[in-house]
Amino acid sequence: MRERVVWCVSVLICLGALVANPATRAFALWNVLVQVAIFVPSACIPAWRTNRMSYVDFAWPAGILALGVQGFIFAEELTPLTIAAASMFTVAGLRLMYWGYLVMKPGWLKEEFPRYQYQRLVWEKAGLKSDRLSLQYEISVQATANMSYFALPSIVIATNPRGGLHPVEIAAIAVWLAAYLYESVADLQKSRFLGGYASDSKDVCDTGLWRYSRHPNYFGQWVQWCAAVLLAVPSVIALWDRSPVVSWVLIAVGLLFLVKAIYTVMVDYSGAVPAEHYSVLKRPGYRQYQAEVNRFFPGPRKKQPAVA
């Protein structure tokens, strides 16, 4: 319960900083309405009716797509920088929405995804009694993240009217493209190995990028967010002269926090840790794979004796 209160307070602080800043206010307020319009019908209502959270896998990327579209609309000037940032969010959102679409297809979502089954274990350990209320809270976490911290790069970059690209921005775009390709290749390799999205294979994917990281797709997605934060650095510096001091400091700190927040999501919250909890139970060779391959950051394989 304490963690929930801390999250709600931090979101209010971040949103307050965006609304208090005249340069970011309009985008921030409209984005709140847009995210509510996305999450309520596509995640909150279906989750309440079915007691399953997996619908959020469509709502969250739809919200990311919306941040990209709004980036085009609220940009003070359509420059190479603002177009690049809006395109990054749009492309990433569309790609993830494709997988979300598979979730929403009739017949696919017959039971809760393992990572959300794992959340129920977390709630039980924390002594939380109502699954239905916890579902709505967890969905609201992803919705409010799209309203606050996850929206920061898009909103901050939209305030920058400068033409041309700073060397830092060029580097950030290059890193984002490389990470996007990395994640896409990892997902393709996993899909081909398993033989389809809904595969029930008990084999361990240990090919291609998966030989050097147990979750290369999550790593690629995290690097994309790091690149988005880096892309926003020149813009947040340029925003200094147009911002109340407290608002500017909170926005800058929020961008730094985003790097850590995305890492936590990809590893602990809905990424590596929940996935591996069930992979160990389902796949006999997974413990050996864990012993030999890094969990998140790619690296050389370790030579380990056979794991019983």
Side-chain angles (χ1 to χ4, degrees):
M1 183 61 69
R2 178 185 174 187
E3 291 180 355
R4 294 185 173 187
V5 172
V6 169
W7 172 255
C8 292
V9 171
S10 69
V11 165
L12 289 174
I13 291 173
C14 184
L15 269 176
L18 290 169
V19 172
N21 195 319
T24 58
R25 183 179 300 143
F27 193 159
L29 289 175
W30 274 105
N31 183 50
V32 170
L33 297 178
V34 169
Q35 299 297 333
V36 169
I38 290 171
F39 273 82
V40 170
S42 65
C44 295
I45 293 176
W48 185 265
R49 293 177 61 186
T50 64
N51 205 32
R52 290 196 295 267
M53 185 179 168
S54 300
Y55 297 98
V56 80
D57 277 21
F58 176 85
W60 183 75
I64 299 301
L65 169 63
L67 284 170
V69 173
Q70 290 176 96
F72 288 110
I73 295 171
F74 288 100
E76 293 191 14
E77 297 286 344
L78 286 178
T79 65
L81 171 62
T82 55
I83 291 173
S87 298
M88 285 161 53
F89 277 85
T90 301
V91 169
L94 281 172
R95 180 183 173 280
L96 291 169
M97 273 188 70
Y98 169 72
W99 297 103
Y101 160 73
L102 294 179
V103 172
M104 303 291 281
K105 283 178 64 176
W108 283 98
L109 189 54
K110 296 177 181 178
E111 61 181 25
E112 190 77 280
F113 285 171
R115 57 180 168 271
Y116 299 130
Q117 294 176 26
Y118 184 84
Q119 285 298 321
R120 286 169 165 77
L121 301 179
V122 174
W123 303 337
E124 182 180 349
K125 184 177 180 180
L128 301 170
K129 302 299 183 182
S130 174
D131 277 9
R132 224 173 256 280
L133 292 179
S134 291
L135 281 174
Q136 295 301 315
Y137 168 78
E138 297 294 345
I139 291 171
S140 74
V141 166
Q142 298 196 35
T144 53
N146 279 6
M147 297 174 192
S148 54
Y149 295 106
F150 291 6
L152 282 174
S154 186
I155 293 176
V156 167
I157 292 169
T159 67
N160 194 340
R162 170 180 48 79
L165 289 171
H166 189 278
V168 170
E169 294 162 349
I170 295 173
I173 293 171
V175 170
W176 187 91
L177 289 171
Y180 180 84
L181 178 63
Y182 186 91
E183 181 193 9
S184 300
V185 170
D187 280 339
L188 181 61
Q189 289 173 340
K190 182 74 170 283
S191 178
R192 286 179 174 176
F193 179 87
L194 295 176
Y197 179 75
S199 170
D200 197 37
S201 171
K202 291 180 171 56
D203 295 329
V204 177
C205 181
D206 189 14
T207 184
L209 299 174
W210 299 82
R211 288 188 59 79
Y212 309 103
S213 167
R214 303 201 300 267
H215 301 280
N217 53 344
Y218 294 146
F219 174 76
Q221 195 171 149
W222 176 70
V223 174
Q224 289 172 57
W225 282 99
C226 292
V229 170
L230 181 62
L231 187 65
V233 168
S235 296
V236 78
I237 293 173
L239 192 60
W240 167 258
D241 292 334
R242 306 164 55 196
S243 304
V245 173
V246 174
S247 172
W248 186 91
V249 169
L250 291 174
I251 289 172
V253 171
L255 279 169
L256 294 176
F257 173 74
L258 177 57
V259 175
K260 172 64 168 62
I262 290 292
Y263 177 83
T264 300
V265 169
M266 296 300 162
V267 175
D268 298 311
Y269 181 65
S270 65
V273 171
E276 294 195 1
H277 175 82
Y278 292 101
S279 290
V280 166
L281 300 176
K282 178 181 178 181
R283 297 179 169 87
Y286 202 83
R287 288 194 183 276
Q288 185 69 41
Y289 182 59
Q290 285 178 313
E292 295 179 0
V293 180
N294 289 351
R295 180 172 65 182
F296 190 70
F297 294 98
R301 295 174 69 95
K302 309 162 192 172
K303 293 183 178 180
Q304 297 287 346
V307 176

